[in-house]
């Protein structure tokens, strides 16, 4: 609460880089931040996070003062809706993630769209899609990258030719 995650500033990346380095020392590749109650998922170390639930709903934490409103996040939501998916921006508990999620991925300028194969919380591991990229992440990534590189029609008029 009352963070600066909703704006780009150097201090956001310093803290997350330190946390990520500590996680790498323990054998993990990414960090997921929880809110101050340690109940709700916020985002990854430098990226927004998405979860596909068992019912096929795509969920991402709602924007607030701790979550950056990333362009790749917004593009992912747009593409998911265009694919006919139900998308929810809402609070997501870590308990819900550990029980009901079948696919997880992060988005960001540097991350693009990167699948997450598992999350470990309090010594328990939740494995997603047998540690392989999920169907939803794969579809959205193909359209997003294809649009960026011109191999897929830019139906959203996101590209500007200069």
């Amino acid at each position: 609460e009352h963070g600066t995650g909703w704006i780009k500033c150097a201090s956001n990346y310093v803290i997350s880089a330190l946390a990520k380095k500590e996680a790498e020392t323990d054998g993990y590749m990414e960090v997921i931040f929880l809110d101050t109650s340690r109940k709700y998922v916020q985002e990854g170390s430098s990226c927004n996070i998405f979860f596909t639930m068992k019912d096929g709903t795509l969920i991402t934490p709602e924007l607030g003062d701790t979550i950056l409103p990333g362009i790749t996040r917004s593009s992912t939501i747009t593409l998911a809706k265009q694919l006919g998916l139900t998308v929810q921006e809402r609070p997501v508990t870590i308990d819900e993630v550990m029980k009901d999620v079948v696919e997880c991925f992060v988005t960001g300028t540097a991350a693009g769209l990167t699948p997450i194969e598992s999350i470990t919380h309090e010594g328990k591991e939740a494995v997603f899609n047998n540690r392989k990229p999920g169907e939803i992440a794969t579809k959205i990534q193909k359209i997003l990258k294809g649009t960026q590189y011109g191999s897929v029609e830019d139906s959203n008029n996101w590209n500007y030719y200069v």
Side-chain angles (χ1 to χ4, degrees):
E1 189 174 324
H2 306 299
T4 57
W6 59 278
I7 56 173
K8 279 206 181 247
C9 61
S11 62
N12 292 355
Y13 295 100
V14 171
I15 300 302
S16 63
L18 176 60
K20 186 169 180 171
K21 186 68 174 166
E22 290 172 359
E24 287 171 349
T25 301
D26 291 337
Y28 301 101
M29 65 176 270
E30 182 57 85
V31 173
I32 294 175
F33 288 100
L34 303 179
D35 71 338
T36 55
S37 74
R38 301 188 46 83
K39 182 177 179 181
Y40 294 97
V41 176
Q42 298 284 282
E43 57 186 357
S45 66
S46 60
C47 44
N48 299 114
I49 192 162
F50 287 82
F51 305 102
T52 304
M53 308 307 286
K54 291 177 182 175
D55 69 359
T57 302
L58 185 63
I59 298 175
T60 190
E62 63 189 345
L63 297 177
D65 63 0
T66 59
I67 298 176
L68 185 68
I71 297 297
T72 310
R73 176 188 185 275
S74 175
S75 300
T76 297
I77 291 169
T78 297
L79 293 174
K81 288 178 179 178
Q82 290 172 348
L83 287 170
L85 298 172
T86 299
V87 179
Q88 296 178 354
E89 297 178 72
R90 65 165 177 81
V92 184
T93 68
I94 188 64
D95 291 339
E96 182 179 18
V97 169
M98 299 302 287
K99 271 191 327 196
D100 299 327
V101 169
V102 295
E103 180 180 3
C104 177
F105 58 91
V106 294
T107 64
T109 303
L113 191 152
T114 304
I116 300 295
E117 59 183 49
S118 68
I119 293 176
T120 301
H121 177 66
E122 295 183 345
K124 295 181 182 172
E125 182 182 39
V127 175
F128 310 117
N129 201 46
N130 295 317
R131 299 188 187 277
K132 293 183 173 64
E135 182 181 344
I136 290 174
T138 302
K139 281 182 185 177
I140 294 172
Q141 183 181 48
K142 183 177 180 180
I143 297 168
L144 185 60
K145 288 222 176 266
T147 301
Q148 291 169 336
Y149 293 118
S151 62
V152 170
E153 181 184 347
D154 179 12
S155 59
N156 294 296
N157 297 311
W158 289 337
N159 291 329
Y160 292 92
Y161 295 95
V162 290

